[in-house]
Amino acid sequence: MLKSFALGFGLLTFPAVALAGGPPAKPASAAAPAAVDAAHSAPRVQIALLLDTSSSMDGLIDQARRQLWTVVNTFAKARRGTQLAQLEIALYEYGKSSLSSEGGYIRQIVPFTTDLDKVSEELFGLKTNGGDEYCGMVIQKATRNLEWSKNKNDLKLIYIAGNEPFTQGSVSYQSAIADAKERGITVNTIHCGSANEGASTGWAAAAQLASGQALNIDQNKAVVHIAAPQDDEIAKLGRELNKTYVGYGSKGAEAKMRQEAQDTNAAASAGSATTRAVSKASRMYDNSGWDLVDGTKKGAVKLEEMKEEELPAELKGKNADERKAYVDAKAKERADIQGRIQKLQSEREKFVAEKQKAAASAAGGDSLDKAIIESASKQAAAQGMALE
């Protein structure tokens, strides 16, 4: 049972490595990112994380919570040609005895979503206890129940993490992986332990069959945060961004509270407040479903057509021109703050890169951040997509 899962999304940078193969990318036109499987929709990166939440998983869950935002940042520049890609994340848990035995001790936590605060909220809500770990079954459920893109050129990845034998349960991993491959999904295995142990318990064989990567991490490796002079200012600006969000409709108030709560959660660990702020200053942090600034920009809502009861308190009683002027002012304020964060982040990356060079010789075993980023870079390249 997994003891630690270093979902290392700290501001670490790893080189993208191209793999041979993969179909040539077709140029895509700029359509709305929400267009699902349309011929001209934006390229999509879909990542399903399957997390073992049995008794020994507390380290895994803690690091997953604290390090979410770096993976997001890694995909901020994902593109095919000149067209930026949309990142969607799904979460499953498996191996917890409090889950339904009839369902194989498996639960879909979040279907594919671009709502990153929701993903963070659910990670912070996870609890662990003992159970049985059915790898084949959870892969099968994720393959069949998630809304995977039908575009063969989109990047579709499953990462399953654990350290118990891969062969448990009534669904063979061979049949589950065959099902995934038929849908163009690459399964990567993350064994927390030595490569020899992973090979002897089926993790390496499963990845090989899936044409994925067999990754091994040191489950006890501490997540290292390299403090930089820019950290405090970046985190402060990240909190200031919240003032530029204008919630609307039934989801607005709840989503704004979630945003504040995830800021608080991130602030509890070194580096997470910085990486979250960088995410909030990027295109990946899209809240068009509840925020009027993103919503009007993305065409999800039309200010002039909104009913009075749908408006936030600050816009009630205002005419269409006054609404537009208010939202435009918030959009400008947000863009200014995001620009300041991005400038500071550029300076921070240079500082951290130098520190990483100096610390490279002292590094221990791999952590999940390096494993995911390097493997995703390779598999993205095989699909004609770059992360840098």
Side-chain angles (χ1 to χ4, degrees):
M1 297 175 186
L2 187 59
K3 295 181 180 178
S4 178
F5 183 84
L7 191 54
F9 304 145
L11 289 174
L12 304 179
T13 55
F14 301 98
V17 181
L19 288 182
K26 296 181 180 180
S29 62
V36 177
D37 294 327
H40 300 293
S41 65
R44 297 162 77 187
V45 175
Q46 295 182 304
I47 298 178
L49 300 175
L50 318 183
L51 311 181
D52 183 345
T53 53
S54 56
S55 292
S56 55
M57 294 294 110
D58 288 323
L60 152 70
I61 302 307
D62 181 58
Q63 292 190 27
R65 292 166 181 157
R66 295 191 294 126
Q67 301 299 317
L68 168 65
W69 301 104
T70 303
V71 151
V72 173
N73 295 338
T74 299
F75 286 92
K77 297 178 182 178
R79 68 182 67 233
R80 176 175 292 115
T82 59
Q83 191 170 23
L84 294 169
Q86 173 178 291
L87 174 65
E88 302 170 8
I89 296 176
L91 295 176
Y92 274 77
E93 63 171 328
Y94 72 103
K96 185 162 69 179
S97 59
S98 60
L99 300 175
S100 166
S101 59
E102 291 80 6
Y105 306 105
I106 294 165
R107 178 173 75 98
Q108 183 189 93
I109 304 170
V110 183
F112 280 127
T113 183
T114 60
D115 186 344
L116 302 175
D117 284 346
K118 180 63 175 175
V119 174
S120 178
E121 179 183 59
E122 292 292 348
L123 285 172
F124 274 90
L126 285 178
K127 306 294 182 184
T128 61
N129 58 45
D132 297 304
E133 298 81 25
Y134 301 152
C135 294
M137 187 177 292
V138 71
I139 291 171
Q140 183 185 77
K141 285 181 178 289
T143 297
R144 295 182 177 180
N145 297 341
L146 289 172
E147 189 175 331
W148 293 96
S149 167
K150 295 179 177 62
N151 187 328
K152 66 180 181 179
N153 290 324
D154 285 340
L155 185 62
K156 292 163 278 190
L157 306 177
I158 285 176
Y159 285 92
I160 179 170
N163 68 351
E164 290 296 304
F166 211 82
T167 53
Q168 298 180 77
S170 60
V171 177
S172 73
Y173 74 76
Q174 292 91 342
S175 64
I177 286 172
D179 200 4
K181 290 180 72 173
E182 187 175 341
R183 290 166 167 79
I185 303 164
T186 300
V187 178
N188 300 284
T189 66
I190 302 167
H191 177 257
C192 288
S194 70
N196 287 338
E197 184 183 6
S200 68
T201 54
W203 290 78
Q208 183 177 14
L209 183 63
S211 300
Q213 285 193 256
L215 308 165
N216 295 279
I217 66 172
D218 177 0
Q219 67 261 38
N220 297 313
K221 185 181 179 74
V223 177
V224 178
H225 168 65
I226 298 176
Q230 299 82 9
D231 285 348
D232 289 346
E233 184 65 15
I234 290 174
K236 177 184 175 183
L237 290 171
R239 293 189 295 272
E240 287 186 13
L241 276 175
N242 292 359
K243 300 174 184 177
T244 72
Y245 282 82
V246 186
Y248 70 90
S250 59
K251 297 179 181 179
E254 178 185 351
K256 280 185 70 68
M257 287 191 292
R258 180 184 296 123
Q259 183 183 61
E260 294 281 356
Q262 300 322 304
D263 280 352
T264 300
N265 285 334
S269 61
S272 293
T274 303
T275 54
R276 174 169 163 80
V278 172
S279 294
K280 289 168 70 177
S282 78
R283 68 183 183 86
M284 310 305 289
Y285 193 70
D286 174 15
N287 294 292
S288 51
W290 64 269
D291 166 54
L292 283 178
V293 175
D294 282 346
T296 53
K297 181 179 179 181
K298 298 286 186 178
V301 64
K302 294 183 179 180
L303 277 172
E304 66 276 12
E305 296 179 2
M306 294 184 71
K307 298 177 181 178
E308 187 76 7
E309 60 268 24
E310 296 176 317
L311 294 170
E314 55 266 44
L315 290 184
K316 289 186 183 296
K318 295 185 182 296
N319 62 36
D321 289 340
E322 290 170 330
R323 295 176 187 180
K324 184 177 185 302
Y326 184 89
V327 172
D328 286 349
K330 289 295 182 181
K332 183 181 184 304
E333 182 183 355
R334 183 180 305 176
D336 290 344
I337 297 173
Q338 288 176 328
R340 290 162 64 191
I341 292 174
Q342 290 163 5
K343 182 177 183 296
L344 287 166
Q345 169 60 4
S346 179
E347 296 170 3
R348 186 186 188 282
E349 284 180 336
K350 294 176 183 177
F351 178 90
V352 170
E354 290 300 317
K355 293 292 184 180
Q356 285 175 337
K357 287 180 184 178
S361 60
D366 281 352
S367 56
L368 189 66
D369 55 349
K370 186 172 182 179
I372 286 184
I373 293 169
E374 289 189 341
S375 62
S377 295
K378 294 175 184 179
Q379 289 159 13
Q383 291 296 97
M385 195 179 294
L387 302 189
E388 292 293 335

PDB file of all heavy atoms in Angstrom, residues 10 32 34 43 92-93 98 110 114 116 119 158 183 196 206 217 228 266 276 296 387:
ATOM      1  N   GLY A  10       5.825  21.389  -7.784  1.00  0.00           N
ATOM      2  CA  GLY A  10       6.583  22.555  -7.382  1.00  0.00           C
ATOM      3  C   GLY A  10       7.209  23.123  -8.619  1.00  0.00           C
ATOM      4  O   GLY A  10       7.226  22.479  -9.635  1.00  0.00           O
ATOM      5  N   ALA A  32     -14.004  27.551 -29.766  1.00  0.00           N
ATOM      6  CA  ALA A  32     -14.188  27.622 -28.320  1.00  0.00           C
ATOM      7  C   ALA A  32     -13.629  26.373 -27.665  1.00  0.00           C
ATOM      8  O   ALA A  32     -13.901  25.262 -28.109  1.00  0.00           O
ATOM      9  CB  ALA A  32     -15.679  27.739 -28.007  1.00  0.00           C
ATOM     10  N   ALA A  34     -14.504  24.820 -25.178  1.00  0.00           N
ATOM     11  CA  ALA A  34     -15.528  23.926 -24.662  1.00  0.00           C
ATOM     12  C   ALA A  34     -16.088  22.994 -25.732  1.00  0.00           C
ATOM     13  O   ALA A  34     -16.809  22.048 -25.422  1.00  0.00           O
ATOM     14  CB  ALA A  34     -16.669  24.737 -24.054  1.00  0.00           C
ATOM     15  N   PRO A  43      -6.774  21.499 -29.215  1.00  0.00           N
ATOM     16  CA  PRO A  43      -6.220  20.216 -28.764  1.00  0.00           C
ATOM     17  C   PRO A  43      -6.426  20.058 -27.269  1.00  0.00           C
ATOM     18  O   PRO A  43      -6.420  21.033 -26.523  1.00  0.00           O
ATOM     19  CB  PRO A  43      -4.736  20.313 -29.137  1.00  0.00           C
ATOM     20  CG  PRO A  43      -4.458  21.769 -29.321  1.00  0.00           C
ATOM     21  CD  PRO A  43      -5.737  22.386 -29.783  1.00  0.00           C
ATOM     22  N   TYR A  92      -9.667   9.501  -9.575  1.00  0.00           N
ATOM     23  CA  TYR A  92     -10.282   8.312  -9.001  1.00  0.00           C
ATOM     24  C   TYR A  92      -9.519   7.938  -7.737  1.00  0.00           C
ATOM     25  O   TYR A  92      -8.311   8.170  -7.638  1.00  0.00           O
ATOM     26  CB  TYR A  92     -10.196   7.123  -9.966  1.00  0.00           C
ATOM     27  CG  TYR A  92     -11.314   7.032 -10.977  1.00  0.00           C
ATOM     28  CD1 TYR A  92     -11.342   7.856 -12.087  1.00  0.00           C
ATOM     29  CD2 TYR A  92     -12.330   6.099 -10.834  1.00  0.00           C
ATOM     30  CE1 TYR A  92     -12.355   7.769 -13.027  1.00  0.00           C
ATOM     31  CE2 TYR A  92     -13.356   5.989 -11.765  1.00  0.00           C
ATOM     32  CZ  TYR A  92     -13.361   6.832 -12.864  1.00  0.00           C
ATOM     33  OH  TYR A  92     -14.375   6.731 -13.785  1.00  0.00           O
ATOM     34  N   GLU A  93     -10.224   7.341  -6.797  1.00  0.00           N
ATOM     35  CA  GLU A  93      -9.549   6.691  -5.681  1.00  0.00           C
ATOM     36  C   GLU A  93      -9.910   5.209  -5.709  1.00  0.00           C
ATOM     37  O   GLU A  93     -10.997   4.826  -6.140  1.00  0.00           O
ATOM     38  CB  GLU A  93      -9.931   7.320  -4.340  1.00  0.00           C
ATOM     39  CG  GLU A  93     -11.395   7.209  -3.962  1.00  0.00           C
ATOM     40  CD  GLU A  93     -11.664   7.663  -2.524  1.00  0.00           C
ATOM     41  OE1 GLU A  93     -10.776   7.476  -1.667  1.00  0.00           O
ATOM     42  OE2 GLU A  93     -12.767   8.191  -2.272  1.00  0.00           O
ATOM     43  N   SER A  98     -13.795   1.611   3.012  1.00  0.00           N
ATOM     44  CA  SER A  98     -15.091   2.260   3.214  1.00  0.00           C
ATOM     45  C   SER A  98     -15.851   2.465   1.909  1.00  0.00           C
ATOM     46  O   SER A  98     -17.036   2.814   1.920  1.00  0.00           O
ATOM     47  CB  SER A  98     -14.907   3.611   3.914  1.00  0.00           C
ATOM     48  OG  SER A  98     -14.094   4.470   3.142  1.00  0.00           O
ATOM     49  N   VAL A 110     -13.755  13.013  -9.352  1.00  0.00           N
ATOM     50  CA  VAL A 110     -14.066  14.127 -10.247  1.00  0.00           C
ATOM     51  C   VAL A 110     -13.962  13.620 -11.682  1.00  0.00           C
ATOM     52  O   VAL A 110     -12.944  13.014 -12.038  1.00  0.00           O
ATOM     53  CB  VAL A 110     -13.070  15.296 -10.066  1.00  0.00           C
ATOM     54  CG1 VAL A 110     -13.454  16.467 -10.962  1.00  0.00           C
ATOM     55  CG2 VAL A 110     -13.018  15.754  -8.618  1.00  0.00           C
ATOM     56  N   THR A 114     -12.062  21.240 -16.062  1.00  0.00           N
ATOM     57  CA  THR A 114     -11.079  22.329 -16.092  1.00  0.00           C
ATOM     58  C   THR A 114     -11.179  23.171 -14.827  1.00  0.00           C
ATOM     59  O   THR A 114     -10.444  24.146 -14.679  1.00  0.00           O
ATOM     60  CB  THR A 114     -11.307  23.230 -17.320  1.00  0.00           C
ATOM     61  OG1 THR A 114     -12.627  23.793 -17.257  1.00  0.00           O
ATOM     62  CG2 THR A 114     -11.149  22.451 -18.625  1.00  0.00           C
ATOM     63  N   LEU A 116     -10.056  23.739 -11.666  1.00  0.00           N
ATOM     64  CA  LEU A 116      -8.909  23.312 -10.880  1.00  0.00           C
ATOM     65  C   LEU A 116      -9.125  23.485  -9.388  1.00  0.00           C
ATOM     66  O   LEU A 116      -8.584  22.714  -8.583  1.00  0.00           O
ATOM     67  CB  LEU A 116      -7.668  24.075 -11.342  1.00  0.00           C
ATOM     68  CG  LEU A 116      -7.332  23.897 -12.831  1.00  0.00           C
ATOM     69  CD1 LEU A 116      -6.163  24.789 -13.219  1.00  0.00           C
ATOM     70  CD2 LEU A 116      -7.030  22.443 -13.149  1.00  0.00           C
ATOM     71  N   VAL A 119     -10.789  20.352  -8.203  1.00  0.00           N
ATOM     72  CA  VAL A 119      -9.830  19.253  -8.065  1.00  0.00           C
ATOM     73  C   VAL A 119      -9.083  19.385  -6.741  1.00  0.00           C
ATOM     74  O   VAL A 119      -8.939  18.420  -5.978  1.00  0.00           O
ATOM     75  CB  VAL A 119      -8.838  19.238  -9.244  1.00  0.00           C
ATOM     76  CG1 VAL A 119      -7.755  18.184  -9.029  1.00  0.00           C
ATOM     77  CG2 VAL A 119      -9.572  18.963 -10.560  1.00  0.00           C
ATOM     78  N   ILE A 158      -3.466   7.997 -18.533  1.00  0.00           N
ATOM     79  CA  ILE A 158      -3.823   7.503 -17.207  1.00  0.00           C
ATOM     80  C   ILE A 158      -2.537   7.320 -16.426  1.00  0.00           C
ATOM     81  O   ILE A 158      -1.562   6.756 -16.931  1.00  0.00           O
ATOM     82  CB  ILE A 158      -4.584   6.164 -17.276  1.00  0.00           C
ATOM     83  CG1 ILE A 158      -6.036   6.378 -17.745  1.00  0.00           C
ATOM     84  CG2 ILE A 158      -4.585   5.454 -15.922  1.00  0.00           C
ATOM     85  CD1 ILE A 158      -6.824   5.098 -17.941  1.00  0.00           C
ATOM     86  N   ARG A 183      -8.962   2.833 -27.221  1.00  0.00           N
ATOM     87  CA  ARG A 183      -9.490   4.195 -27.192  1.00  0.00           C
ATOM     88  C   ARG A 183      -8.390   5.260 -27.295  1.00  0.00           C
ATOM     89  O   ARG A 183      -8.657   6.447 -27.145  1.00  0.00           O
ATOM     90  CB  ARG A 183     -10.276   4.403 -25.890  1.00  0.00           C
ATOM     91  CG  ARG A 183     -11.587   3.625 -25.824  1.00  0.00           C
ATOM     92  CD  ARG A 183     -12.121   3.607 -24.394  1.00  0.00           C
ATOM     93  NE  ARG A 183     -13.501   3.142 -24.303  1.00  0.00           N
ATOM     94  CZ  ARG A 183     -13.867   1.867 -24.345  1.00  0.00           C
ATOM     95  NH1 ARG A 183     -12.948   0.922 -24.497  1.00  0.00           N
ATOM     96  NH2 ARG A 183     -15.146   1.525 -24.250  1.00  0.00           N
ATOM     97  N   ASN A 196      13.002  -3.060  -9.117  1.00  0.00           N
ATOM     98  CA  ASN A 196      12.960  -4.528  -9.039  1.00  0.00           C
ATOM     99  C   ASN A 196      11.642  -5.010  -8.458  1.00  0.00           C
ATOM    100  O   ASN A 196      11.031  -5.959  -8.957  1.00  0.00           O
ATOM    101  CB  ASN A 196      14.127  -5.045  -8.195  1.00  0.00           C
ATOM    102  CG  ASN A 196      15.454  -4.933  -8.915  1.00  0.00           C
ATOM    103  OD1 ASN A 196      15.492  -4.857 -10.146  1.00  0.00           O
ATOM    104  ND2 ASN A 196      16.544  -4.931  -8.165  1.00  0.00           N
ATOM    105  N   ALA A 206       2.707  -4.176 -16.893  1.00  0.00           N
ATOM    106  CA  ALA A 206       1.480  -3.461 -17.277  1.00  0.00           C
ATOM    107  C   ALA A 206       1.809  -2.246 -18.125  1.00  0.00           C
ATOM    108  O   ALA A 206       1.162  -1.994 -19.154  1.00  0.00           O
ATOM    109  CB  ALA A 206       0.711  -3.051 -16.026  1.00  0.00           C
ATOM    110  N   ILE A 217       9.095   5.641  -7.986  1.00  0.00           N
ATOM    111  CA  ILE A 217       9.422   6.801  -7.180  1.00  0.00           C
ATOM    112  C   ILE A 217       9.772   6.371  -5.758  1.00  0.00           C
ATOM    113  O   ILE A 217       9.403   5.284  -5.308  1.00  0.00           O
ATOM    114  CB  ILE A 217       8.271   7.823  -7.144  1.00  0.00           C
ATOM    115  CG1 ILE A 217       7.045   7.247  -6.413  1.00  0.00           C
ATOM    116  CG2 ILE A 217       7.906   8.295  -8.544  1.00  0.00           C
ATOM    117  CD1 ILE A 217       5.953   8.268  -6.171  1.00  0.00           C
ATOM    118  N   ALA A 228      12.627  31.282  -3.023  1.00  0.00           N
ATOM    119  CA  ALA A 228      13.161  32.320  -3.904  1.00  0.00           C
ATOM    120  C   ALA A 228      12.718  33.687  -3.406  1.00  0.00           C
ATOM    121  O   ALA A 228      11.685  33.812  -2.734  1.00  0.00           O
ATOM    122  CB  ALA A 228      12.673  32.095  -5.341  1.00  0.00           C
ATOM    123  N   ALA A 266      -3.415  26.013   0.167  1.00  0.00           N
ATOM    124  CA  ALA A 266      -2.097  26.117  -0.461  1.00  0.00           C
ATOM    125  C   ALA A 266      -1.105  26.821   0.452  1.00  0.00           C
ATOM    126  O   ALA A 266       0.087  26.488   0.476  1.00  0.00           O
ATOM    127  CB  ALA A 266      -2.206  26.859  -1.793  1.00  0.00           C
ATOM    128  N   ARG A 276       0.413  27.967  -6.813  1.00  0.00           N
ATOM    129  CA  ARG A 276      -1.011  28.219  -7.072  1.00  0.00           C
ATOM    130  C   ARG A 276      -1.208  29.607  -7.677  1.00  0.00           C
ATOM    131  O   ARG A 276      -1.985  29.782  -8.625  1.00  0.00           O
ATOM    132  CB  ARG A 276      -1.822  28.093  -5.779  1.00  0.00           C
ATOM    133  CG  ARG A 276      -3.291  28.493  -5.942  1.00  0.00           C
ATOM    134  CD  ARG A 276      -4.121  28.105  -4.743  1.00  0.00           C
ATOM    135  NE  ARG A 276      -5.394  28.810  -4.721  1.00  0.00           N
ATOM    136  CZ  ARG A 276      -6.478  28.475  -5.453  1.00  0.00           C
ATOM    137  NH1 ARG A 276      -6.413  27.455  -6.296  1.00  0.00           N
ATOM    138  NH2 ARG A 276      -7.593  29.175  -5.363  1.00  0.00           N
ATOM    139  N   THR A 296     -17.585  36.370 -19.785  1.00  0.00           N
ATOM    140  CA  THR A 296     -17.806  37.239 -20.940  1.00  0.00           C
ATOM    141  C   THR A 296     -16.685  37.083 -21.966  1.00  0.00           C
ATOM    142  O   THR A 296     -16.926  37.127 -23.175  1.00  0.00           O
ATOM    143  CB  THR A 296     -17.905  38.707 -20.496  1.00  0.00           C
ATOM    144  OG1 THR A 296     -16.764  39.061 -19.707  1.00  0.00           O
ATOM    145  CG2 THR A 296     -19.152  38.933 -19.671  1.00  0.00           C
ATOM    146  N   LEU A 387       5.217  20.780 -24.625  1.00  0.00           N
ATOM    147  CA  LEU A 387       4.850  21.395 -23.356  1.00  0.00           C
ATOM    148  C   LEU A 387       5.609  22.668 -23.081  1.00  0.00           C
ATOM    149  O   LEU A 387       5.343  23.352 -22.098  1.00  0.00           O
ATOM    150  CB  LEU A 387       5.064  20.398 -22.201  1.00  0.00           C
ATOM    151  CG  LEU A 387       4.318  19.080 -22.290  1.00  0.00           C
ATOM    152  CD1 LEU A 387       4.445  18.303 -20.987  1.00  0.00           C
ATOM    153  CD2 LEU A 387       2.861  19.281 -22.653  1.00  0.00           C
TER     154      LEU A 387
END
